[in-house]
Amino acid sequence: MTTPSVLIIGSGIVGSGFAYAAARRGVSMQMLSSLPVNSGGTATANSWAWINANTDNDKNYFDLRHASMQLWRRWMQTVPDLVATSAGGFVWDMDSEMLRTFAACHKGWGYPVELLSADAIAAKLPCLRDVPPLAAYVPTEMAVEPDDAVKALLAAAATQPEQRHVHSLMIDRDRVYGVMTDNGLYTADEVILASGNGTSKLLESVGVSFEMTPTTGLLVTTKPLPKFLPYLLTAPDYHVRQTGTGQLLIGGTFKHYGASGDGKSQQVAAASLVARVECALQCPTPLEIASFSLGWRVIPKGGRPKIGRIRRPDGDEISGLYVAVMHSGISNMAAVADHGMAEMLTGLPSQLLAPFRPVSGTAVARRKGIG
Ligand SMILES: Cc1cc2nc3c(=O)[nH]c(=O)nc-3n(C[C@H](O)[C@H](O)[C@H](O)COP(=O)(O)OP(=O)(O)OC[C@H]3O[C@@H](n4cnc5c(N)ncnc54)[C@H](O)[C@@H]3O)c2cc1C
């Protein structure tokens, strides 16, 4: 079997992961992206970037995320400058009964979760003023700085994206053979859509309806502080971690998928988040806002990742096209990229990815033999 040529659309964390997974296997690859690497417009650039397999997971999704955490660690040992900047996650954004249920279930699945009492929490987190009665602690959870992780993966893959906007996929019968851009046609044996919230529009060009339900998330970055918080904290009304440069990265409640509001209301929300954290933590210096961002989460309809070949409602598969679209893309990236690339090269389905296949909706007219 000859090795296929690969064209990756998107240079966020998912596209960069595929680039690295391809390079490791000696696959020749090109990458196109409408936005420059690490521009503020991607979900990746606006992510809290907690790598975890925590709560709210069915067993299939847990398996994917847990495998990905382990692969992240392996990649960190081989990719220069791919590093975790926080390690160990605390969660107490639910009542004690739910925490116990979550811990028992995930422990049974092999997740190294510990339940800590108030005393044990205070001993590990002397900076915490609001000590909860119970928290789940997972020592293997971590965070990366997403922009740095993208840079490190692309450098290790020895690739840089060309900045091109893709207008449409090119298809001949049920085989995608390339894409049309503002710079003309690019062809490849396999086109990988790591295009985040741009995916529905691209799939529409080949008659595939792919619904997404993106939501917004506000993150506030403070000015740098002396290092005092090595862990990730998820409380009921805030989550916070300290970045590699000493800044606090603060978000609101995870469960609240709120509306964006205007600039003024975002500013008010940002200030109140910072005030909340200042109240909850003993910080070494007063907190000052450096910036805040409103990111768009990449959420396929149904909430779970969509990974693999598209199957049309009549059962026909589109070849030459591989989709990788998901929320929690930072956590999932390593397993998705590694198993996805293996599926493309061997033709053998990955058991880990099988529960997350995309299926085309019915809506858009089917177009054959055109781009
Ligand atoms: C506020 C917030 C907090 C989050 N926190 C976490 C977290 O703690 N842990 C976690 O695991 N996940 C988290 N996520 C989710 C995670 O950040 C995303 O799932 C992930 O970044 C998606 O990466 P991506 O590469 O698929 O998409 P993106 O980063 O959005 O990249 C998409 C790429 O596709 C390109 N593109 C799109 N359309 C086209 C086109 N037509 N032509 C050419 N290029 C195109 C863009 O230019 C871009 O390069 C969070 C997200 C948000 C918004």
Side-chain angles (χ1 to χ4, degrees), residues 11 14 33-35 43-44 46-50 166 195 326 328-329 331:
S11 62
V14 175
S33 172
S34 48
L35 294 170
T44 300
N46 295 312
S47 181
W48 198 53
W50 171 30
V166 176
S195 40
M326 71 211 74
S328 277
S331 299

Side-chain angles (χ1 to χ4, degrees), residues 81-99:
D81 300 326
L82 189 65
V83 288
T85 52
S86 304
F90 283 85
V91 168
W92 67 92
D93 63 340
M94 58 191 104
D95 64 36
S96 296
E97 200 187 320
M98 284 171 81
L99 269 175

Side-chain angles (χ1 to χ4, degrees), residues 24-358:
R24 285 180 70 215
R25 292 169 169 86
V27 173
S28 113
M29 148 250 321
Q30 239 185 323
M31 186 182 237
L32 304 177
S33 172
S34 48
L35 294 170
V37 172
N38 293 339
S39 85
T42 62
T44 300
N46 295 312
S47 181
W48 198 53
W50 171 30
I51 297 175
N52 74 92
N54 211 305
T55 62
D56 284 350
N57 294 330
D58 56 71
K59 179 68 166 58
N60 288 331
Y61 196 31
F62 169 81
D63 287 343
L64 174 67
R65 294 168 74 95
H66 200 208
S68 198
M69 286 173 75
Q70 288 157 7
L71 206 51
W72 259 107
R73 280 195 184 281
R74 290 219 290 282
W75 286 9
M76 282 174 179
Q77 283 158 14
T78 50
V79 175
D81 300 326
L82 189 65
V83 288
T85 52
S86 304
F90 283 85
V91 168
W92 67 92
D93 63 340
M94 58 191 104
D95 64 36
S96 296
E97 200 187 320
M98 284 171 81
L99 269 175
R100 286 184 205 286
T101 307
F102 147 65
C105 169
H106 279 57
K107 212 169 185 154
W109 290 343
Y111 204 44
V113 50
E114 300 162 27
L115 281 179
L116 301 185
S117 65
D119 284 351
I121 298 164
K124 269 188 159 332
L125 282 170
C127 63
L128 193 62
R129 287 196 183 110
D130 286 355
V131 179
L134 196 69
Y137 172 66
V138 183
T140 53
E141 291 178 0
M142 55 190 162
V144 290
E145 301 321 324
D147 288 358
D148 295 344
V150 164
K151 265 196 246 158
L153 289 164
L154 292 179
T159 195
Q160 276 308 315
E162 251 186 77
Q163 200 183 330
R164 300 283 167 218
H165 182 73
V166 176
H167 299 295
S168 57
L169 302 175
M170 301 302 291
I171 194 164
D172 181 9
R173 295 182 180 84
D174 267 337
R175 171 161 195 83
V176 166
Y177 61 91
V179 301
M180 186 54 74
T181 73
D182 49 8
N183 190 42
L185 175 67
Y186 288 70
T187 59
D189 299 317
E190 293 283 358
V191 173
I192 301 174
L193 292 188
S195 40
N197 285 319
T199 306
S200 303
K201 193 129 191 59
L202 290 173
L203 286 173
E204 226 174 74
S205 69
V206 288
V208 168
S209 159
F210 184 88
E211 279 185 66
M212 299 191 59
T213 52
T215 60
T216 53
L218 181 72
L219 276 185
V220 185
T221 307
T222 68
K223 293 193 177 158
L225 292 96
K227 290 281 178 73
F228 75 108
L229 183 64
Y231 303 111
L232 298 109
L233 311 187
T234 301
D237 54 348
Y238 67 88
H239 47 281
V240 61
R241 67 177 180 86
Q242 193 166 21
T243 68
T245 51
Q247 296 165 288
L248 292 189
L249 197 57
I250 308 170
T253 158
F254 270 119
K255 307 250 153 67
H256 176 65
Y257 282 6
S260 49
D262 57 18
K264 184 78 195 147
S265 62
Q266 288 167 27
Q267 213 166 355
V268 171
S272 95
L273 263 179
V274 167
R276 176 70 190 96
V277 167
E278 199 145 38
C279 206
L281 299 185
Q282 178 108 41
C283 300
T285 57
L287 299 185
E288 286 179 76
I289 295 179
S291 62
F292 62 87
S293 64
L294 195 73
W296 283 93
R297 298 181 181 92
V298 176
I299 308 183
K301 189 180 172 194
R304 289 296 191 242
K306 297 287 181 217
I307 308 154
R309 306 280 182 208
I310 298 260
R311 207 167 271 287
R312 300 207 189 253
D314 61 11
D316 286 357
E317 189 180 271
I318 301 179
S319 61
L321 180 67
Y322 197 92
V323 171
V325 185
M326 71 211 74
H327 183 55
S328 277
I330 309 278
S331 299
N332 302 334
M333 173 281 288
V336 168
D338 199 58
H339 284 247
M341 193 52 68
E343 285 195 324
M344 271 177 272
L345 295 184
T346 63
L348 300 172
S350 154
Q351 290 314 304
L352 212 52
L353 303 184
F356 304 103
R357 300 304 185 202

